Amino acid sequence: MKLIYNYTFEDLQELLLEKGFKKYRTSQVWDWLYDKKVNSFELMKNLPSDLLEYLNNNYTFDSLALIQRQVSTDGTQKFLYKLLDGNLIESVVMRHHYGNSICISTQIGCNIGCSFCASGQLKRIRNLDVGEMVLQVLESERLMGEKIDSVVLMGIGEPFDNFDNVVKLLKILNHQKGFNIGARRLTVSTSGIVPKIYEFADLKLQVNLALSLHAATDELRSKLMKINNVYNIEKLMESLNYYLQVTNRRVTIEYILIDGVNDREKDAINLVNLLKGMNVYINLIPYNKVFETEYERSREANQKRFLHLLKRGGLDVTLRKEQGHDIEAACGQLRSKAEKKKK
Ligand code: SAH
Ligand code: SF4
């Protein structure tokens, strides 16, 4: 049995045609799945019995069981789900003036192993299926009774380490007769898997790319992110320039601010020199303390100084406002709670 949510429209069409069903049946099934959003084949009233039988015998709807739901005082909600194999994943829904945005996980654990990140303390166990990612959006919508307007792939895992599934997910979320979430409301965040940045650029999906930079010199970045030993800043910048040129889309640079580590005046100057003149937007994120690490959040005065120095250097930058602090719903904190629950 496979998850019915694993398939893009094109994949589903190919599958049904192969089994001898008429082409227009794909649109009907798709409509039930992603417009009416039913969760049983029996409810798909306009399908012939042979198709219903085929679907029932080969596909399933379920893989996520809600284990815990937390609601923050600011409206942010965190959902902890158990997968069929017992692994736990989390998604977070944030409310903004422009709608609801969800932060979803792409893997169980993460092999990139950044020294500051809770998700990276747990080696990757496996990639999530397409359907397991789709369901994080669908289930959260169902549970909240509200539509999700934008999706960020910034939960647990490295999206580009699960590249093919992530691309399928983006196509499903973007499909006009389904979720219909505009490409510009979809954001993929990567730690900088250089070959995949080239590949992603060539797909010309029009979705947003966010790059986790966190340091402007190889010495510092390698300490924070060991992936920098494989793809250093020079290689990363080359791929970023290629991406900017091919897609003509502005890229978000994520930069977490860690006390005394990468929030000093010289770090800001290095960053300005690295990014000056590029079509990027810098998102400064005050570090969220992770229990197992030695790092601390940048002090408020230093956060502001950093912001000011980047602005003065001509960069387009914002300091992220925090949401869901009381329920530990921030990026990079999602794993620790889930693991505590498992023990
Ligand atoms: N693996 C991808 C996406 C998931 S992490 C990536 O690294 O980009 C999403 C973002 O959260 C990244 O920018 C990551 O560096 C950041 N992050 C990780 N741990 C954090 C923490 N403790 N506090 C703040 N941001 C964190
Ligand atoms: Fe993985 Fe991203 Fe965490 Fe690094 S920051 S360990 S890439 S989830």
Side-chain angles (χ1 to χ4, degrees):
M1 291 288 247
K2 288 193 174 132
L3 258 180
I4 190 70
Y5 300 114
N6 276 345
Y7 302 88
T8 61
F9 186 89
E10 291 70 28
D11 289 347
L12 191 65
Q13 180 159 284
E14 198 178 315
L15 199 92
L16 295 186
L17 281 175
E18 225 170 69
K19 298 289 167 195
F21 297 107
K22 297 246 162 49
K23 199 170 173 187
Y24 72 93
R25 295 296 181 196
T26 311
S27 300
Q28 291 179 321
V29 175
W30 195 261
D31 187 57
W32 286 111
L33 290 174
Y34 296 116
D35 188 42
K36 302 194 180 67
K37 299 183 179 169
V38 300
N39 57 358
S40 124
F41 293 117
E42 276 68 37
L43 295 171
M44 300 185 175
K45 296 291 182 208
N46 53 0
L47 302 188
S49 55
D50 55 346
L51 177 53
L52 275 181
E53 194 185 326
Y54 167 72
L55 291 171
N56 254 325
N57 288 339
N58 293 285
Y59 301 99
T60 134
F61 281 84
D62 302 317
S63 77
L64 301 186
L66 183 72
I67 298 289
Q68 193 187 35
R69 177 181 182 175
Q70 286 171 279
V71 184
S72 160
T73 47
D74 65 18
T76 302
Q77 305 205 16
K78 186 160 80 168
F79 301 93
L80 177 67
Y81 296 110
K82 190 177 198 164
L83 301 170
L84 288 180
D85 62 5
N87 281 303
L88 299 168
I89 51 163
E90 284 175 302
S91 329
V92 174
V93 177
M94 285 155 286
R95 289 204 159 90
H96 305 284
H97 62 275
Y98 52 84
N100 293 322
S101 101
I102 189 168
C103 173
I104 66 168
S105 299
T106 55
Q107 298 182 308
I108 299 164
C110 181
N111 267 356
I112 308 298
C114 303
S115 59
F116 53 80
C117 173
S119 307
Q121 315 284 319
L122 176 75
K123 280 244 170 269
R124 182 189 63 203
I125 296 173
R126 68 172 174 86
N127 284 333
L128 292 187
D129 282 345
V130 181
E132 290 169 330
M133 295 188 272
V134 170
L135 274 169
Q136 291 175 60
V137 184
L138 265 183
E139 277 302 314
S140 307
E141 281 191 338
R142 261 183 216 143
L143 289 161
M144 293 175 60
E146 288 175 42
K147 199 172 158 10
I148 296 289
D149 306 286
S150 57
V151 180
V152 297
L153 276 59
M154 289 191 191
I156 303 166
E158 166 52 51
F160 282 177
D161 193 27
N162 187 11
F163 191 84
D164 294 348
N165 284 350
V166 159
V167 169
K168 283 180 192 236
L169 167 78
L170 296 171
K171 287 184 176 164
I172 293 171
L173 295 174
N174 184 227
H175 198 279
Q176 279 196 342
K177 289 194 191 118
F179 283 101
N180 196 18
I181 302 177
R184 279 148 204 246
R185 290 180 173 269
L186 301 171
T187 303
V188 179
S189 172
T190 181
S191 57
I193 318 270
V194 163
K196 297 294 174 190
I197 295 177
Y198 286 102
E199 213 174 318
F200 200 64
D202 289 336
L203 289 176
K204 300 201 177 75
L205 291 177
Q206 298 296 318
V207 310
N208 301 311
L209 180 68
L211 179 64
S212 299
L213 189 62
H214 308 327
T217 64
D218 279 328
E219 195 195 349
L220 185 54
R221 193 164 190 270
S222 296
K223 270 189 203 145
L224 297 172
M225 308 175 75
K226 60 183 194 280
I227 184 91
N228 197 67
N229 293 317
V230 186
Y231 306 114
N232 65 16
I233 292 183
E234 192 187 343
K235 289 182 188 148
L236 193 56
M237 286 299 128
E238 271 169 24
S239 70
L240 180 59
N241 275 319
Y242 179 81
Y243 185 91
L244 292 170
Q245 195 193 332
V246 168
T247 64
N248 215 7
R249 306 259 309 132
R250 171 172 257 213
V251 168
T252 300
I253 301 290
E254 291 162 281
Y255 193 102
I256 52 176
L257 290 168
I258 306 176
D259 184 40
V261 174
N262 66 351
D263 67 346
R264 300 158 300 177
E265 190 169 346
K266 67 173 180 189
D267 299 312
I269 292 164
N270 287 338
L271 193 58
V272 168
N273 289 333
L274 185 69
L275 299 177
K276 218 168 25 189
M278 293 176 82
N279 187 20
V280 295
Y281 160 86
I282 295 115
N283 195 1
L284 298 176
I285 311 159
Y287 178 63
N288 293 302
K289 176 74 186 157
V290 171
F291 185 64
E292 300 96 325
T293 73
E294 80 252 38
Y295 302 120
E296 298 292 336
R297 165 176 296 204
S298 178
R299 288 167 211 173
E300 229 171 287
N302 292 341
Q303 294 175 23
K304 291 203 174 117
R305 179 185 63 183
F306 204 88
L307 175 73
H308 172 73
L309 287 168
L310 296 196
K311 277 189 180 162
R312 208 180 65 188
L315 298 183
D316 195 355
V317 54
T318 52
L319 184 60
R320 185 189 280 179
K321 192 177 123 247
E322 209 171 20
Q323 286 197 301
H325 194 55
D326 53 335
I327 57 168
E328 292 178 37
C331 284
Q333 290 194 315
L334 295 184
R335 195 270 309 178
S336 45
K337 260 285 173 60
E339 281 309 291
K340 271 182 233 153
K341 287 267 153 8
K342 238 172 138 181
K343 278 171 199 153

